[in-house]
């Protein structure tokens, strides 16, 4: 496993501060951060989930979702455990909200890159780091992505964007596309999710200059579903680049929000119309068929 860099830790007294994300967890020896995936071990922050996979599947690229990056192709999708946000509607909560106690299979970067290469004949273009928040173990993403590039394939990172700029600088040289969750456009909503809106906005600005970026906003009823909030979100995105694709996705009951009704398809389509006043490419998601 590669050693940590300045993006990972700084010493202070008997604790270590993890600078992977905006939480800046100050950890005593043996203590694990909010993400459940990074720990102070002998005075250094280490990723506990390096190479520890909980999920591996060959997916259509559109499931990431990426609409305008090699459409019609497949990509080998790998996930581990841990996340630095705590969204009550998470569809992958069984892994994202878990820690080292969850069952995993160790797969070093060399093996994952080789597995991806072996699937080229089935339409695979590379590796997607997804399912949980992959950048709580940015070291594994960086190390694997470098090998994937050496084999002539692509790397996709599906992330909540809640990471520091030094972490992004570690992975962006090897990243071809990203889908970044922009979960809404109010500070209060992000605080509810244990997140920080400004951190995500900064990530979008940095990443959009380096690779193909698409955004996803999940519409949760009475939480982030107003036309005014979508107008502000779309206007800001257009100020970065009006051609950034935006996926506006319908909420279905999940995790701690299992009793909430699904978002209305009409609401999603209305928000798509609002966003299209400012952005070139806006796509509805999860609106086909009925939940019940």
């Amino acid at each position: 496993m590669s050693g940590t860099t300045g993006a990972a830790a700084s010493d202070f007294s008997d604790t270590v501060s993890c600078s992977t994300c905006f939480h800046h967890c100050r950890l005593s020896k043996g203590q694990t951060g909010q993400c459940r995936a990074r720990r102070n071990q002998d005075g250094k922050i280490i990723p506990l989930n390096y190479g520890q996979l909980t999920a591996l599947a060959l997916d259509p690229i559109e499931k990431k979702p990426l609409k305008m990056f090699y459409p019609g192709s497949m990509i080998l999708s790998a996930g581990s455990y841990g996340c630095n946000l705590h969204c009550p509607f998470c569809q992958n909560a069984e892994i994202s909200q878990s820690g080292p106690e969850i069952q995993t299979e160790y797969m070093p970067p060399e093996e994952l890159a080789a597995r991806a290469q072996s699937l080229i004949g089935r339409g695979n273009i590379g590796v997607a780091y997804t399912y949980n928040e992959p950048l709580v173990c940015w070291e594994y993403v960086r190390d694997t992505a470098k090998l994937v590039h050496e084999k002539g394939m692509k790397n996709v990172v599906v992330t909540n964007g809640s990471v520091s700029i030094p972490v992004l600088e570690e992975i962006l040289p090897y990243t071809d596309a990203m889908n970044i969750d922009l979960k809404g456009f109010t500070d209060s909503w992000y605080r509810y999710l244990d997140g920080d809106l400004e951190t995500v906005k900064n990530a979008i600005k940095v990443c959009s200059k380096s690779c193909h970026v698409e955004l996803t906003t999940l519409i949760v009823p009475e939480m982030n579903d107003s036309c005014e909030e979508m107008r502000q979100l779309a206007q800001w995105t257009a100020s970065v680049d009006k051609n950034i694709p935006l996926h506006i996705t319908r909420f279905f009951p999940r995790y701690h929000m299992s009793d909430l009704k699904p978002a209305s398809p009409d609401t999603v389509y209305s928000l798509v119309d609002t966003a299209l006043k400012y952005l070139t490419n806006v796509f509805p998601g999860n609106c086909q068929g009925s939940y019940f």
Side-chain angles (χ1 to χ4, degrees), residues 229-239 246 274-275 278-279:
E229 182 171 344
M230 181 54 64
R231 181 187 66 78
Q232 293 178 15
L233 185 155
Q235 280 186 319
W236 177 84
T237 303
S239 75
L246 172 64
T274 297
Y278 309 97
L279 297 171

Side-chain angles (χ1 to χ4, degrees), residues 1-130:
M1 182 176 73
S2 298
T4 57
T5 72
S10 60
D11 291 317
F12 179 78
S13 185
D14 61 344
T15 65
V16 179
S17 177
C18 179
S19 54
T20 293
C21 77
F22 65 96
H23 286 304
H24 297 292
C25 294
R26 300 200 63 82
L27 306 176
S28 302
K29 286 186 179 181
Q31 188 176 11
T32 301
Q34 291 192 39
C35 65
R36 299 181 174 89
R38 303 185 73 83
R39 174 180 293 168
N40 175 353
Q41 183 167 304
D42 299 324
K44 293 184 178 180
I45 300 294
I46 65 160
L48 298 172
N49 61 345
Y50 188 99
Q52 301 295 336
L53 300 189
T54 59
L56 188 66
L58 187 62
D59 289 332
I61 195 78
E62 288 80 5
K63 285 185 68 176
K64 297 306 95 190
L66 290 172
K67 186 78 169 179
M68 302 183 70
F69 183 79
Y70 290 84
S73 63
M74 305 293 286
I75 194 156
L76 182 61
S77 300
S80 183
Y81 62 81
C83 183
N84 55 351
L85 299 187
H86 303 98
C87 302
F89 46 77
C90 182
Q91 64 178 357
N92 292 324
E94 66 277 6
I95 59 174
S96 71
Q97 301 303 307
S98 292
E101 73 281 357
I102 194 171
Q103 183 176 354
T104 62
E105 178 180 338
Y106 180 66
M107 187 171 291
E110 296 81 5
E111 184 177 344
L112 181 54
R115 186 81 63 93
Q117 187 177 39
S118 73
L119 294 168
I120 290 176
R122 294 176 58 185
N124 183 43
I125 64 168
V127 175
Y129 311 88
T130 181

